[in-house]
Amino acid sequence: MNRIFSGVQPTGNLHLGNYLGAIRNWVRLQADYDCIFCVVDMHAITLWQDPAQLRAHVREVAAAFIASGIDPEKHILFNQSMVPAHAELAWIFNCVARMGWLNRMTQFKDKAGKNRENASVGLFAYPNLMAADILLYKATHVPVGEDQKQHLELTRDVAQKFNNDYKVDFFPIVEPLIFGAATRVMSLRDGSKKMSKSDESDYSRINMTDDADAIALKIRKAKTDPEPLPESTAGLERRPEAANLIGIYAGLSDSGVDEVCRRFAGSPFSEFKKELADLAVAVLSPIQDEMRRLMKDQTQIDSVLRQGAERAAAVAAPIVREVKEIVGYLRP
Ligand code: TYM
């Protein structure tokens, strides 16, 4: 059976990149896979989070999943910290993965910045926890945006080394699923930076909670160049901001970049931006309405997460039991 695992960090400012690069693809994959979707709160605290905000953000991400079309009855939706086996397996992987592997992770370098000595140990070991998330359920496929590719390569290395070290054929070698026209949505202010929850400028991203006016304003203010829109993908070379906005349009309208170029060939950005804003509002507003409705009933969201966690724990239990046996822990 092919199984999907994927997750989103509850660090606030859930944005269009998370939706187009990940969540929307998950919704579609539900038809063909057995899916586990996780709000990864243990990953979130690798950078300090205000505790009350963290709880609110966990619920907000869960509401966004459901509002986008994740079915928590057919599939599993839960938050990571409710299943302690994630931490247990992550520890074992801390002992399998090599310092050199983690030293090469570009996300650590970006997030730690210049002051690496002051970064948390958790931030450094983060990819091992991610490998544990996936392999705890022996997931075979992981749908993510492009920025997670390197972490998934590390997950494959960890699985392979564990299998070699213990002479077993236990963990699967996972396949990333990176698809759609918007696998890397860029900042609206700078076409060379990815759209990110942590960008200081709110104008850099479209948040899942932005209202229609905010969406239109941010798109109107988005950086562009003075040329009109090109006729084809080739004309987007060295025009990162234009490529980004067209990519977003293609993602939202479920069409190809070339098709969008053909439709808007020669148009000025002012015109294209109006159409893009209308499209973004049309796609996002029903999701936002549903998110708001769900968030009114906190106990309902908490109960979905708790039930999801119980089901996730049940899937993980025999796998962790076997891992502990393989490693040589005494049976409790
Ligand atoms: P996170 O929370 O940063 O992002 C969640 C998902 O959104 C995708 N994404 C983007 N896609 C396109 N354009 C963007 N600008 C953009 N920004 C984010 C991400 O690729 C991701 O799919 N480490 C992960 C969370 C995680 C995880 C896992 C994922 C923890 N354990 C196990 C898969 C499997 C992260 O920080 O995602």
Side-chain angles (χ1 to χ4, degrees):
M1 169 62 111
N2 284 329
R3 178 175 288 150
I4 274 179
F5 183 97
S6 200
V8 172
Q9 291 197 62
T11 41
N13 299 329
L14 192 69
H15 55 71
L16 188 63
N18 301 127
Y19 179 67
L20 292 179
I23 303 169
R24 201 201 28 189
N25 291 344
W26 305 355
V27 173
R28 297 179 177 170
L29 292 163
Q30 291 180 110
D32 301 314
Y33 293 84
D34 155 20
C35 302
I36 304 178
F37 298 118
C38 188
V39 185
V40 292
D41 45 7
M42 291 164 64
H43 278 91
I45 62 164
T46 56
L47 299 172
W48 188 83
Q49 304 295 319
D50 175 81
Q53 286 284 315
L54 180 62
R55 275 187 280 273
H57 290 149
V58 167
R59 292 179 180 126
E60 184 178 288
V61 172
F65 287 4
I66 300 168
S68 302
I70 299 297
D71 181 346
E73 302 275 322
K74 281 209 188 93
H75 301 276
I76 296 178
L77 191 173
F78 75 110
N79 62 307
Q80 192 181 24
S81 62
M82 284 199 197
V83 180
H86 286 257
E88 292 185 288
L89 188 57
W91 179 257
I92 294 175
F93 289 169
N94 281 343
C95 303
V96 172
R98 305 290 94 181
M99 295 287 286
W101 301 359
L102 294 174
N103 264 326
R104 286 194 286 276
M105 295 292 117
T106 55
Q107 187 168 301
F108 174 73
K109 289 180 200 162
D110 290 348
K111 289 203 172 171
K114 289 198 181 77
N115 198 356
R116 285 180 61 160
E117 292 294 309
N118 198 37
S120 73
V121 175
L123 188 66
F124 185 70
Y126 175 117
N128 291 339
L129 177 59
M130 184 162 157
D133 298 340
I134 298 164
L135 296 172
L136 184 57
Y137 305 97
K138 291 196 174 179
T140 52
H141 294 79
V142 184
V144 284
E146 215 166 87
D147 61 331
Q148 295 301 314
K149 213 167 156 182
Q150 195 185 31
H151 288 157
L152 293 183
E153 276 157 23
L154 185 113
T155 301
R156 292 162 65 101
D157 290 343
V158 167
Q160 210 134 35
K161 187 163 192 302
F162 179 94
N163 289 347
N164 285 341
D165 285 356
Y166 292 101
K167 301 189 175 42
V168 287
D169 181 15
F170 188 72
F171 285 123
I173 308 303
V174 298
E175 290 295 335
L177 296 175
I178 300 173
F179 61 93
T183 58
R184 190 174 175 80
V185 176
M186 308 308 277
S187 156
L188 299 180
R189 310 296 289 166
D190 177 352
S192 68
K193 279 201 330 208
K194 72 170 182 184
M195 186 177 283
S196 146
K197 301 190 196 98
S198 56
D199 196 312
E200 280 162 23
S201 165
D202 201 50
Y203 282 97
S204 69
R205 70 184 154 257
I206 293 174
N207 297 310
M208 291 301 282
T209 48
D210 283 344
D211 62 21
D213 288 344
I215 293 173
L217 180 65
K218 286 176 178 182
I219 292 178
R220 199 158 65 238
K221 282 184 168 280
K223 189 174 169 201
T224 47
D225 56 44
E227 302 297 314
L229 274 74
E231 284 163 20
S232 69
T233 315
L236 289 172
E237 238 175 83
R238 285 187 293 280
R239 296 182 67 187
E241 283 84 16
N244 188 38
L245 293 182
I246 291 180
I248 292 175
Y249 191 101
L252 286 168
S253 61
D254 236 338
S255 46
V257 170
D258 239 350
E259 203 179 323
V260 179
C261 288
R262 273 198 305 278
R263 171 153 174 219
F264 291 99
S267 302
F269 271 104
S270 52
E271 208 171 285
F272 171 72
K273 281 178 165 180
K274 272 195 211 109
E275 299 255 357
L276 178 59
D278 288 348
L279 176 63
V281 170
V283 172
L284 294 182
S285 63
I287 299 175
Q288 296 172 329
D289 291 346
E290 183 61 7
M291 270 176 82
R292 269 192 292 276
R293 194 187 67 75
L294 289 164
M295 301 235 290
K296 277 197 199 125
D297 191 356
Q298 189 177 301
T299 50
Q300 174 63 22
I301 294 190
D302 289 5
S303 132
V304 167
L305 290 172
R306 206 170 307 111
Q307 285 171 34
E310 274 171 28
R311 288 162 60 204
V315 177
I319 300 173
V320 212
R321 209 176 302 125
E322 218 177 320
V323 172
K324 290 179 177 174
E325 186 80 28
I326 292 170
V327 169
Y329 287 178
L330 284 184
R331 247 188 240 134

